[in-house]
Structure formats: C-alpha cells, structure tokens
Amino acid sequence: MPFQRNQVDELSSKGEAIVRRAGEIVHKHWDRPKNVQYKGRIDLVTETDTAVEDYLTRELSLLLPKARIVAEESAADVDPGDLAWIIDPLDGTTNFAHGLPHVAVSVGLWGKGRMIMGFIHVPKLNEFFSAVRGRGAFLNGRPITVADAARLDATVVATGFPYSVAEDLEQILPPLGRVLEATRGIRRLGAAAVDLAYTACGRFGGFYEYGLKPWDTAAGWLLVEEAGGKVTRTDGTTPYGFDSPGILATNGTLHAALAEAVEGEVLGK
C-alpha cells in the first residue's frame, strides 16, 4: 500500500465525510425537477450527476492532490495510472430519474495496481458501505461478511444490463436464462455499485454483469473481497481488472457454479 497506516486512517476518515456530504446533495435534489439529458438512447445524465461529481472532484483533489480523478461524467480515459480516485457520482441515474431509491455515490481509491479503499453511499436508504484493504468491510460502521450459501438454488443473484441492451440481446439472454434456472432468483436493481455492496453484505450470493466501467466496480470490488468474497472475470478464474469485459463477484463458495451458469459450460476442466 503506497501510504503509511496513519495516512490511510486520515484518508479513510476524511474520504468518508466527503462521500457522506455528496449523499446530502442527492437528498437535496431528490424532489427537484430532474432535467434529464441523454448520453445515449437510454443512457441518462442529470444536473445531480454533474453537481455531485463537481463536488467530489474538488474535495477529493484537495484531500489527495497527487491523485488522478477518473469520474464518469468527465473522464477523458479510464486508465487510473498509479494513483487515482475513481468516482461514480450517481450510480443508478435511471433509478434517480424515476424516484427509485437504489441510487449510490461510489468512490474508490486506487494505488499501485489495486484498490486501497472504497465507499458506497446509498443515501435514500441510509446505508453507507466502506472498506479499507486489509481491514474488512462495513455497513454503517458494523462489520459485514458475504453470504454463507453453499448452493446456487439457496441464494439470490444480481445482474445488470448494458445501455446497449437492444444490440446485445444475444449475449445477455442465454446467461440470464441459465442463471435464472440455477438460482432461487435474479434481481436487477439498476446500480452495479449497490449490487456489489449487497453481495458484500450477504444479501446476494453473487453478481455478474458485462460492459461495466471502472467507476461502476471500483469500490464494490474491494468491498466484496474485504467481506470474504471473490471477484474475477465471468470465467471464474481470470483476475478481474478494469479492462475486463465482465465481472463475477460471489461469496467464494458459489464462484465456480455461478461462473458455469453464466458461461454455459463446465469450466476449469
């Protein structure tokens, strides 16, 4: 880790405070007109996305001036380099636009090839998830662990769909059918950061999705691992990275079985 313990303590404490204040912006904007704009056919952006990102960019840059900012609405590229804050100011913008509460502010700190800390704030549900590498994962200050399920049919799994869903149905539908058949059920909350946080705290036994960006997964990736889970590409064995086409996160015990359901073949043989 590129910081001393006391530095990590300070960054974690001040970073959490900044992310909590970003959640207050979401609260303040909740009942306002959303002024929705379109980045794509169903890819939305609102004034709240921009306001939260501007606030986080300013405050996190002051907290750690040497770190790059890789944020959804302003990133020129997705390479975090050696040190970066990775920011999704409003994960679940479509939910926000429709008044659905699964909306998160997600912030992760990347350093020297791995996640160092992560925060996922779901302000409308009053839930704050946090993790620092090597120190465990927490929900509202209480330690969390992944689900103890040993069978796919004893757990609920989450997924999401890319904005290019209409063009990618041939990739999306076969895994969806296999996972639906193998599990107790599938949930689609519309916010990957929330899906990963819920996997970390045991509400979901696992999560998979294709086509995500670093800001979708950075904080949640660390949360799952610090809660005792496993994160890879969807093949179940290849290490996950920001250039991965898809992500698979589970409690660890279910990893091979969920990978096989997603990929449609017996893997690791």
Side-chain angles (χ1 to χ4, degrees):
M1 191 176 293
F3 301 102
Q4 299 298 319
R5 185 178 182 87
N6 64 329
Q7 293 176 301
V8 172
D9 291 341
E10 182 179 12
L11 285 170
S12 177
S13 175
K14 292 183 176 180
E16 176 173 335
I18 290 168
V19 176
R20 285 187 180 278
R21 287 195 293 272
E24 293 172 6
I25 298 173
V26 177
H27 271 297
K28 189 181 299 184
H29 287 207
W30 192 260
D31 293 321
R32 294 182 182 179
K34 298 302 191 285
N35 297 316
V36 173
Q37 299 181 24
Y38 291 83
K39 297 187 287 184
R41 183 179 66 86
I42 56 173
D43 188 1
L44 312 182
V45 63
T46 69
E47 291 179 352
T48 306
D49 294 78
T50 303
V52 174
E53 182 164 308
D54 287 348
Y55 169 76
L56 288 170
T57 297
R58 180 178 67 253
E59 295 300 315
L60 293 172
S61 293
L62 291 171
L63 179 58
L64 194 59
K66 293 182 179 180
R68 294 187 62 191
I69 298 291
V70 179
E72 180 176 12
E73 306 305 334
S74 60
D77 62 69
V78 298
D79 179 13
D82 289 335
L83 184 65
W85 292 107
I86 304 177
I87 300 168
D88 195 333
L90 199 65
D91 190 35
T93 300
T94 302
N95 288 347
F96 176 75
H98 290 271
L100 300 171
H102 290 104
V103 174
V105 180
S106 179
V107 173
L109 179 60
W110 171 268
K112 294 191 180 297
R114 60 183 186 170
M115 295 306 305
I116 297 172
M117 65 183 64
F119 310 102
I120 295 176
H121 186 17
V122 190
K124 294 304 291 184
L125 299 178
N126 193 31
E127 293 189 325
F128 195 97
F129 297 85
S130 62
V132 173
R133 180 165 293 281
R135 301 190 190 180
F138 299 84
L139 166 55
N140 293 343
R142 295 176 178 270
I144 55 175
T145 60
V146 292
D148 61 2
R151 295 170 52 94
L152 281 179
D153 59 7
T155 192
V156 173
V157 166
T159 192
F161 310 129
Y163 291 117
S164 58
V165 61
E167 296 78 28
D168 293 333
L169 284 177
E170 290 185 3
Q171 181 191 36
I172 293 167
L173 292 180
L176 187 65
R178 290 189 297 267
V179 174
L180 185 60
E181 181 180 11
T183 64
R184 185 170 286 175
I186 292 179
R187 300 294 180 265
R188 201 275 182 169
L189 299 182
V194 179
D195 291 326
L196 287 163
Y198 282 14
T199 301
C201 72
R203 295 172 184 170
F204 295 144
F207 164 69
Y208 77 94
E209 188 169 349
Y210 297 100
L212 295 174
K213 301 296 186 183
W215 42 80
D216 297 310
T217 62
W221 176 11
L222 181 62
L223 271 169
V224 172
E225 291 186 337
E226 285 296 316
K230 184 174 182 179
V231 181
T232 66
R233 293 191 179 198
T234 54
D235 64 10
T237 58
T238 307
Y240 178 72
F242 292 138
D243 60 347
S244 299
I247 187 171
L248 180 73
T250 74
N251 66 349
T253 305
L254 299 171
H255 211 76
L258 185 55
E260 289 171 14
V262 171
E263 295 289 309
E265 59 182 315
V266 177
L267 303 170
K269 301 294 185 181

